[in-house]
Amino acid sequence: MEKFVEVYIYGKKYSVPESLTIMGAMEYAGYQLVRGCGCRNGFCGACATIYRIKGKQELHACLACQTQVEEGMYIATLPFFPLVKQVYDIEKIKPTEQIMMQLYPEIYACVGCNACTKACTQGLNVMQYIAYAQRGEYAKCAEESFDCVMCGVCSSRCPAGISHPQVAILARRLNGKYIEPESEHLLQRVTEIAEGGYDKLIEEVMNKPLDEIKELYNNREIEK
């Protein structure tokens, strides 16, 4: 017999199998996940969740699709957090320290509390990449923030109101556009695709049975 644990979803108590993830437990309890449910594999950040364990004060942040339920877990999902998203034309801005000041000046109000890093569902050093952004070190900021899934949990805990994921994606765009060297083989491949060089191959793949497509994907040659 599978062991069950008691969890609280939005304040209501449920008994669920202990082997389930938070997302699985919510569905087991009868919730139909319309929001807060994306790729189910930890890549999209749509299932950001906060929880406490009964009798303990610490607030935890996680992705519901990756985190197993625990006895006495109080759960509330955070499928959306209102980040500040500035509009800019990447062709008209440059990787200067001033551009971050113009678009996201709130990063300079960081108090160094490290709440963002503690809350990160991916275990990233968020406060460090914000420090890189403050100094205009966009290549370092891009590297440090590379695995960000933009769930917004870091921003939800920030007393300075910083939109960390938007700062990170700006740094990665600046790095890719202006700092990293151009990838010649990538440019060549994009040209070949635009000229229709792969149309026949794509059509052949699209017409294959799903099982065969999965087999091709699982046994594909991965570039080193």
Side-chain angles (χ1 to χ4, degrees), residues 54-146:
K54 188 176 183 178
K56 299 181 180 180
Q57 297 303 312
E58 187 176 359
L59 185 67
H60 302 272
C62 68
L63 296 180
C65 69
Q66 292 183 315
T67 308
Q68 192 170 348
V69 290
E70 298 179 43
E71 178 68 37
M73 181 182 274
Y74 280 81
I75 299 163
T77 61
L78 188 71
F80 170 77
F81 187 80
L83 301 173
V84 174
K85 182 180 180 180
Q86 300 294 359
V87 177
Y88 51 84
D89 185 343
I90 195 66
E91 301 291 341
K92 296 180 180 179
I93 61 175
K94 300 296 180 183
T96 63
E97 189 173 337
Q98 289 72 28
I99 193 60
M100 197 61 77
M101 173 67 82
Q102 293 170 18
L103 294 173
Y104 295 104
E106 63 273 14
I107 68 171
Y108 299 96
C110 174
V111 298
C113 67
N114 211 31
C116 53
T117 299
K118 292 177 181 178
C120 180
T121 60
Q122 298 293 86
L124 303 181
N125 193 341
V126 183
M127 191 173 77
Q128 180 60 67
Y129 79 62
I130 292 297
Y132 287 141
Q134 290 172 334
R135 299 195 293 265
E137 298 181 61
Y138 299 125
K140 291 182 179 180
C141 182
E143 178 68 23
E144 195 73 44
S145 68
F146 187 79

Side-chain angles (χ1 to χ4, degrees), residues 28-222:
Y28 181 90
Y31 288 86
Q32 183 179 3
L33 301 180
V34 178
R35 288 195 173 193
C37 176
C39 68
R40 294 177 175 266
N41 283 295
F43 298 114
C44 72
C47 61
T49 299
I50 54 176
Y51 70 89
R52 274 197 174 110
I53 303 300
K54 188 176 183 178
K56 299 181 180 180
Q57 297 303 312
E58 187 176 359
L59 185 67
H60 302 272
C62 68
L63 296 180
C65 69
Q66 292 183 315
T67 308
Q68 192 170 348
V69 290
E70 298 179 43
E71 178 68 37
M73 181 182 274
Y74 280 81
I75 299 163
T77 61
L78 188 71
F80 170 77
F81 187 80
L83 301 173
V84 174
K85 182 180 180 180
Q86 300 294 359
V87 177
Y88 51 84
D89 185 343
I90 195 66
E91 301 291 341
K92 296 180 180 179
I93 61 175
K94 300 296 180 183
T96 63
E97 189 173 337
Q98 289 72 28
I99 193 60
M100 197 61 77
M101 173 67 82
Q102 293 170 18
L103 294 173
Y104 295 104
E106 63 273 14
I107 68 171
Y108 299 96
C110 174
V111 298
C113 67
N114 211 31
C116 53
T117 299
K118 292 177 181 178
C120 180
T121 60
Q122 298 293 86
L124 303 181
N125 193 341
V126 183
M127 191 173 77
Q128 180 60 67
Y129 79 62
I130 292 297
Y132 287 141
Q134 290 172 334
R135 299 195 293 265
E137 298 181 61
Y138 299 125
K140 291 182 179 180
C141 182
E143 178 68 23
E144 195 73 44
S145 68
F146 187 79
D147 288 325
C148 173
V149 294
M150 302 193 74
C151 67
V153 171
C154 54
S155 297
S156 73
R157 305 300 306 280
C158 179
I162 298 170
S163 291
H164 311 75
Q166 296 295 345
V167 172
I169 201 166
L170 172 57
R172 295 201 294 275
R173 286 169 175 164
L174 289 169
N175 183 57
K177 175 69 175 176
Y178 297 107
I179 300 172
E180 290 293 321
E182 285 192 347
S183 174
E184 295 297 333
H185 72 282
L186 177 60
L187 293 174
Q188 180 182 346
R189 183 58 55 85
V190 170
T191 300
E192 291 170 354
I193 293 171
E195 292 175 349
Y198 294 89
D199 288 354
K200 184 179 179 181
L201 179 59
I202 292 172
E203 185 178 353
E204 289 176 356
V205 171
M206 293 298 291
N207 288 325
K208 290 182 181 295
L210 182 58
D211 289 343
E212 192 172 337
I213 292 175
K214 289 181 179 179
E215 186 69 21
L216 285 170
Y217 178 80
N218 291 331
N219 293 286
R220 70 195 185 282
E221 182 179 348
I222 299 176

